[in-house]
Amino acid sequence: GMSETMKDYSEKRDFHRMKMNSEIELTDSNGVAIPGICRDLSGTGMQLYVERAFAEGDEIHTLLPSTSKQFPPFETVCRVLRCVPEGDGFLLGMEIVKVKR
């Protein structure tokens, strides 16, 4: 039934998601650099913690620096899906539009 399909889907989705707490470099559409923290990363998106708000639909370039030889720098163009206040900053739900490297 429907619920099995959903369960199956969410398990597959969770399998690809990596919890992390890595510094990430963001560049907004004006070329302004903003530091952030990448909370989790999946094949289709990421969750970031930043100190300023973004609007839904904003395109942001992200660069996750290399942490090891197995994990080269990961550079993307993302679109903001949601921006929720959290603590002293904001939690961004981001959709990966394009992976640059």
Side-chain angles (χ1 to χ4, degrees):
M2 184 70 184
S3 59
E4 277 103 281
T5 311
M6 287 306 293
K7 183 168 168 289
D8 215 318
Y9 174 74
S10 66
E11 277 171 8
K12 279 194 184 66
R13 195 188 59 204
D14 290 346
F15 177 75
H16 292 292
R17 175 169 287 192
M18 287 192 321
K19 288 280 176 203
M20 45 175 36
N21 217 17
S22 306
E23 289 185 14
I24 190 167
E25 296 165 28
L26 311 179
T27 310
D28 72 11
S29 52
N30 300 316
V32 178
I34 297 114
I37 301 289
C38 184
R39 292 276 182 84
D40 75 43
L41 176 63
S42 72
T44 56
M46 55 179 94
Q47 194 176 58
L48 305 182
Y49 179 78
V50 291
E51 289 184 352
R52 56 160 267 206
F54 286 91
E56 279 179 33
D58 277 1
E59 287 213 338
I60 303 175
H61 287 238
T62 72
L63 173 63
L64 200 56
S66 174
T67 47
S68 66
K69 286 194 175 65
Q70 291 83 35
F71 196 82
F74 182 62
E75 194 176 345
T76 75
V77 178
C78 283
R79 186 179 297 123
V80 178
L81 297 179
R82 64 191 169 278
C83 177
V84 185
E86 175 168 306
D88 294 330
F90 299 87
L91 213 49
L92 297 180
M94 311 265 279
E95 172 194 16
I96 297 173
V97 179
K98 188 167 77 179
V99 175
K100 298 180 80 174
R101 61 183 167 123

